[in-house]
Amino acid sequence: MTGAQPGWQGDAEAIAGKTMQAIAAASTMEALRQVEVRAVGRQGEISLLMRQIPTIPPAERKAFGQLVNRLQQEAEAALAQRKEQLIQALIDAELADDTFDVTLPGIARPRGHVHPLALVTDKVESVFTSMGFHVLDYPEVESEFNNFEALNIPSWHPARDMQDTFWLDDGHLLRTHTSSGQVRTMHQFAPPFRAIFPGKVFRYEATDASHEHTFHQVEGLMIDRHVSVAHLLDSMRTLLTAILERDVEIRLRPGYFPFVEPGFELDISCQVCGGKGCPVCKQSGWLELLPCGLVHPQVLRAGGLDPAEWQGWAFGLGLSRLVMMRYGVPDVRLLLSGDARFLSAF
Ligand code: DAH
């Protein structure tokens, strides 16, 4: 067809008719694709008809335009319908083919893994939320007050040397322990309350198999009117039984921390040798895991609470340590190494 001629209507309909037949006759996806290109592709016959619209005499232009539009829509609908039929036929053929084994395993895609620290943190959180604790999140960049002063560790105190500190230029520091959240909690909530705050802590120290400059702790704090060591012990036993998925024997030894009085080291029976004595527990049958104690009156005061009215217990669980024991990880540095081979073991 060249230019506008009388009989354009017949020509257009002839083209459309041919296209419809070709669509119905296309028996493969490839054949259908060719029909599609020939009809409605950029240089396709119906597309060319479209482009002739401006050359038609004005009186007939509208009718011609409407016709071509309709033909194009019909062709596109027929193409889509035929495509669906062909796809369905392919699926049917595949299913009918008895050499097609639907039980063959698919291609395995590598899967991501939940980090063991996250696994254990989740567990600790669910144990404590079931006992009515809030789970809180506090800043890693802390004030000297929250990290030390408020915890009864003034600047001259020898306990400062036990935790080598990353100081920032502006006088802040990277928290050396999650205990820095204790007075934050006391300022945030009206007692009585109970909360845990898990997180990263930082120490300026040389690294080796059991020391890392960045590691994880969970702090726990409960404030109420009558709080005793028995509450503390029972909560710790519940926690450890849930995490280690067995009954563990625990014992308390006196331990010194300026922010608790009395303070304890909580040991658990060695999970490697079952308490008989081995190199991991240095033949003692016990592993030191969980420092804790009753909150020191000075700390309560720093948190704005009256020690005559309120008491509390606190613990600082070494999460990294717990993960190592739970999964038998021999080197703490593996935990934050980002090594996919290590992670894939979980
Ligand atoms: N913050 C201490 C540390 O990292 C651990 C600790 C000891 C936390 C006794 C406590 C506690 O809450 O009561 O070494």
Side-chain angles (χ1 to χ4, degrees):
M1 247 178 46
T2 51
Q5 286 163 11
W8 48 256
Q9 180 174 3
D11 288 349
E13 274 173 354
I15 288 173
K18 212 173 61 180
T19 300
M20 291 307 226
Q21 276 177 3
I23 292 172
S27 56
T28 64
M29 290 295 275
E30 178 51 26
L32 187 65
R33 204 185 60 81
Q34 283 173 11
V35 175
E36 184 171 18
V37 171
R38 240 184 292 129
V40 294
R42 266 170 52 79
Q43 297 298 324
E45 292 171 304
I46 297 180
S47 311
L48 291 178
L49 284 177
M50 282 285 197
R51 252 175 271 157
Q52 282 174 14
I53 294 175
T55 69
I56 302 286
E60 299 168 30
R61 201 172 289 160
K62 184 167 173 214
F64 181 75
Q66 282 173 342
L67 173 70
V68 175
N69 249 329
R70 179 169 60 76
L71 295 177
Q72 185 184 21
Q73 279 166 14
E74 285 171 3
E76 275 169 356
L79 281 164
Q81 191 190 11
R82 184 69 187 139
K83 199 176 278 179
E84 227 166 86
Q85 286 171 349
L86 290 176
I87 290 173
Q88 191 54 52
L90 282 176
I91 294 173
D92 290 344
E94 196 126 319
L95 290 177
D97 176 1
D98 51 11
T99 63
F100 178 75
D101 184 353
V102 291
T103 67
L104 271 182
I107 297 165
R109 305 265 168 222
R111 284 215 277 154
H113 299 270
V114 179
H115 194 285
L117 274 168
L119 284 173
V120 172
T121 307
D122 282 353
K123 200 116 183 221
V124 172
E125 289 181 5
S126 78
V127 171
F128 278 100
T129 43
S130 78
M131 298 193 286
F133 282 69
H134 298 289
V135 178
L136 307 174
D137 192 18
Y138 287 126
E140 290 166 4
V141 172
E142 256 301 0
S143 64
E144 181 176 358
F145 178 80
N146 284 338
N147 197 83
F148 289 126
E149 306 274 332
L151 294 171
N152 201 22
I153 316 174
S155 58
W156 48 263
H157 201 288
R160 288 240 180 156
D161 301 337
M162 287 158 52
Q163 302 187 351
D164 295 312
T165 307
F166 286 108
W167 290 92
L168 306 183
D169 289 342
D170 65 357
H172 282 74
L173 48 79
L174 297 186
R175 66 177 175 196
T176 57
H177 51 184
T178 44
S179 307
S180 60
Q182 287 194 15
V183 289
R184 282 181 177 273
T185 323
M186 294 176 201
H187 285 128
Q188 190 177 349
F189 296 92
F193 64 79
R194 24 185 126 169
I196 58 168
F197 15 113
K200 270 196 203 110
V201 301
F202 309 86
R203 305 264 172 104
Y204 183 50
E205 53 188 347
T207 62
D208 63 31
S210 50
H211 295 88
E212 177 63 293
H213 49 70
T214 303
F215 54 99
H216 290 70
Q217 294 186 334
V218 184
E219 194 82 6
L221 179 65
M222 172 170 171
I223 302 286
D224 210 327
R225 288 178 203 279
H226 304 288
V227 170
S228 74
V229 174
H231 295 134
L232 170 62
L233 263 184
D234 187 61
S235 304
M236 297 303 98
R237 204 191 308 270
T238 307
L239 167 68
L240 295 171
T241 306
I243 301 251
L244 298 168
E245 289 166 347
R246 67 194 89 152
D247 281 330
V248 284
E249 257 192 276
I250 61 179
R251 72 172 185 189
L252 282 187
R253 283 181 294 121
Y256 175 69
F257 304 94
F259 37 94
V260 281
E261 178 58 37
F264 305 105
E265 292 284 1
L266 190 148
D267 298 340
I268 68 169
S269 54
C270 178
Q271 300 300 297
V272 178
C273 62
K276 288 199 251 335
C278 71
V280 173
C281 59
K282 302 200 184 79
Q283 308 304 328
S284 72
W286 295 94
L287 287 170
E288 186 178 311
L289 185 68
L290 228 172
C292 52
L294 298 188
V295 179
H296 196 288
Q298 284 291 73
V299 179
L300 293 168
R301 280 189 202 105
L305 301 178
D306 177 1
E309 189 178 359
W310 299 105
Q311 303 172 317
W313 57 250
F315 70 86
L317 173 67
L319 253 194
S320 306
R321 196 119 194 252
L322 187 62
V323 168
M324 290 171 73
M325 275 184 29
R326 169 77 172 75
Y327 296 108
V329 177
D331 189 324
V332 66
R333 291 169 296 188
L334 282 168
L335 291 179
L336 297 182
S337 65
D339 188 332
R341 291 167 305 177
F342 167 69
L343 293 181
S344 66
F346 298 92

